Amino acid sequence: MIQAIGLTSDPRKDLPPAVDDVSFEARAGRVTALLGGPGAGKTTVLRLMLELQRGRGVTYFRGRPLHRIAHPSREVGVVLGDVPGHPSRTVRGHLRMLCAAAGVPARRADEVLEVVGLVSLRDERLSTLSRGMDRRLGLACALLTDPHTLVLDDPAGGLSTREKRWLHGMLRAHVAQGGTVLLTTADPKEAARTADQVVTLERGRIVADQEAADFARTRLRPRVAVRTPHAPRLATLLTKEARTTHRSVEVVRESGNRLSVYGSTCADVGETAFRHGIPVHQLADEIGDMGPAAAAADRSSGEAARADVAPQRKAAATRSAGSREQTAARARAGGPAAAEPSSGTESAGPDAPASAPTRKRRERSAASQDTAARTPQARSGGRRRTETEPRTEASEGAPRRRAAEAPEAGPGPDALPELPPPISVRTAPSPLRPLRYELRRAAGVGTGFVTCGVVLLVSAVTAVVLARIGHTPRPRLMAGWPQQLPLPPAALGAGLLGALAFGDEFRHPALATDRGTVPRRLGLLAAKLLVTTGTALLLAVLTLGCDIEMLYLVYGRELAEVPSDWLSLSASWFGLVVGCAWAGVLAAGLFRSTTAGLAAVVAVPVAVVPVVQKVVEGPSVRTAAGFPLRMRELLLNQWPFGGERYVEAVARLVAQPVGGALTLSLAALLGAFLFTTLRGKVR
């Protein structure tokens, strides 16, 4: 079950909070609907419950807050709007990627597709899905880990009647197995038709919490609310007159002295009561469950109706103003008059052994107590309860902190209720299988393959053009790297692939559907760096192979010969391509943008290299002359099996201006990424 206690959003400048002290329960085995119009605060309530928005309050999912659950996606399935997936990804590929993130077998994707009826569309792209199919895919994503609780934000919005029927059948099947479903809707008829419990929100406050049957009877049908000590007699007279005049009138006896008359008007009910001498304490038109403003309107309407029915009572009520003020004072102080209206007002019935004036005074006293009992709730902004509305108290000993129901005039600051605990936004959990997730993410979209193809084509054409022009060194010729470009096409392509690795996570946050923010965990970073390294190395090898092959086909064997120092050149080449890919990954993860990742790659030769050259070539008192030779004597001669050659190649790579600048940039980006990640964990 779900227990939401004291949910309150942070105020927005001079505006009141969008959600103010919302508390309710959604029990297991039942569908609970949050009903409200636009701006009522439904989505804000869900975001506060899921810790996606800062505020105050606490929400328990089967007795535990969401941040206390080890794997929240396995406990709570969430659908907030459209599916946040890459448009070019297939339905099946998207689900298989989420399977790796949730730590469930990949075959679960096919099982869920069969459940939601998307087997025939499993190879379709997400961008081609209709509104109804997208809702089905969202439900499939929520059901992927077989969670106990489903939290859905307007799941039937924009669906056809047939699709709504299917969706409600799926939700019924889930609660039939003991699950919990909480959904939002703006349609009262849909809420009454599909939910077991309806919680009505108005301006960020709960104005009703009812069973679906009571909601359908009281909310969807206009009625006349009547309160009288002779409720059975008036109900009989109204039913008899309706049969006589052949009118469709339904009279429902509520608990206490209250009647709900459907199909009639205040004038007809008041005339019937006046003709038969029946005193009326309340007579008002009602549509739905009305909040504080409507409660005041009900009281004014009831007073006007009583003035029309029995004018002589107005003077008597004026004489008893002092008594009403004392009763209201006792109610504000928490006296007995502040209790909920009950059937105790029936004690002033027609069979009481007292005279008529005495009975009238008792009836007026009961009416004044009932009015005073509603006054604190109306003034404090709390909802107006009727006897048919059940109270929603948090079970399992959870304290109810409702500041809205506190009396206006309390005894002092010591009696103020304690504020609910603050809600802090927490990052999404890292994928349970990050390497498998990253492989499926990278291979599920054709962007990487298209980028590699474009890089190979541009590099080969550039190599052929440079060979025709001449005056280009052979290493640059084989890499397709003109002197005018800061980086070769392969390095730029690797940097773009690295930037996309993290940039797509923020552009299409498939991992953030249940916790709001894309994770920047070290496990996910290591997986992305590993996959990007393999992709960059493959791209570097393919680029050299394609360029050498094109040079051989066009100009012969002379330009296709491998240089004698191929080892050091290969190390420099691979280090450059892999370094650009890593710079793209780190920068995109740090700045949350693909463009920022690619800009960081280009900034290395454009901005960082000149700065490094100026620092190295600047004037100094002492120079490190002979430093490479001394390092070789100290370290390289001690390596077995000729390992000094590889270390020397790495040293030469770092000693180059581009290599040194790239190493410096990678160190700075990695340090900044680790700092922000660790700072988030400390918070």
Side-chain angles (χ1 to χ4, degrees), residues 141-322:
C141 296
L143 294 174
L144 199 60
T145 57
D146 193 18
H148 175 271
T149 304
L150 292 179
V151 178
L152 315 174
D153 187 13
D154 195 15
L159 300 185
S160 63
T161 303
R162 180 180 179 183
E163 291 170 339
K164 288 181 180 180
R165 190 180 303 113
W166 172 87
L167 175 64
H168 299 151
M170 285 291 302
L171 299 182
R172 280 295 167 191
H174 183 77
V175 300
Q177 298 177 358
T180 305
V181 173
L182 175 64
L183 57 89
T184 65
T185 181
D187 187 0
K189 293 183 179 179
E190 179 186 353
R193 184 170 56 252
T194 61
D196 300 308
Q197 180 183 0
V198 181
V199 180
T200 306
L201 291 176
E202 183 179 338
R203 297 181 182 179
R205 290 178 175 269
I206 293 182
V207 296
D209 190 347
Q210 300 172 282
E211 297 290 330
D214 295 335
F215 171 81
R217 177 171 51 81
T218 60
R219 174 80 178 183
L220 300 182
R221 300 173 60 190
R223 64 190 181 276
V224 177
V226 186
R227 191 181 299 276
T228 174
H230 306 282
R233 181 184 173 197
L234 181 58
T236 304
L237 293 173
L238 292 174
T239 304
K240 182 178 179 180
E241 289 187 358
R243 284 198 302 263
T244 303
T245 57
H246 302 285
R247 291 185 297 129
S248 178
V249 176
E250 179 184 0
V251 182
V252 178
R253 175 74 187 278
E254 308 288 357
S255 59
N257 300 327
R258 192 172 184 273
L259 296 177
S260 293
V261 183
Y262 299 92
S264 185
T265 62
C266 287
D268 294 338
V269 176
E271 289 179 1
T272 301
F274 182 74
R275 285 197 307 267
H276 295 84
I278 298 177
V280 176
H281 296 165
Q282 179 188 7
L283 186 61
D285 286 320
E286 290 185 354
I287 300 178
D289 300 279
M290 296 175 286
D298 284 347
R299 288 195 299 273
S300 61
S301 176
E303 290 173 0
R306 288 195 298 270
D308 293 337
V309 175
Q312 63 275 14
R313 293 179 186 160
K314 187 173 182 180
T318 304
R319 288 192 300 268
S320 61

Side-chain angles (χ1 to χ4, degrees), residues 4 29 60 102 120 146 186 196 204 267 280 322 385 406 455 503 517 580 589 598 609 612:
Y60 295 100
S120 60
D146 193 18
D196 300 308
V280 176
R385 284 198 182 95
V455 166
T517 56
C580 289
L598 187 59
V609 170
V612 173

Side-chain angles (χ1 to χ4, degrees), residues 86-97 106-130 133-134 136-137 140-141 144 444:
H86 196 286
S88 300
R89 201 179 303 278
T90 62
V91 173
R92 187 170 182 265
H94 182 76
L95 290 177
R96 286 172 60 87
M97 181 186 69
R107 64 176 182 273
R108 177 66 177 170
D110 297 326
E111 297 174 358
V112 174
L113 285 176
E114 185 176 357
V115 170
V116 300
L118 290 179
V119 176
S120 60
L121 301 178
R122 61 182 180 180
D123 295 327
E124 295 292 329
R125 307 291 179 182
L126 297 186
S127 59
T128 62
L129 297 180
S130 63
M133 296 301 104
D134 186 85
R136 292 196 181 204
L137 179 59
C141 296
L144 199 60

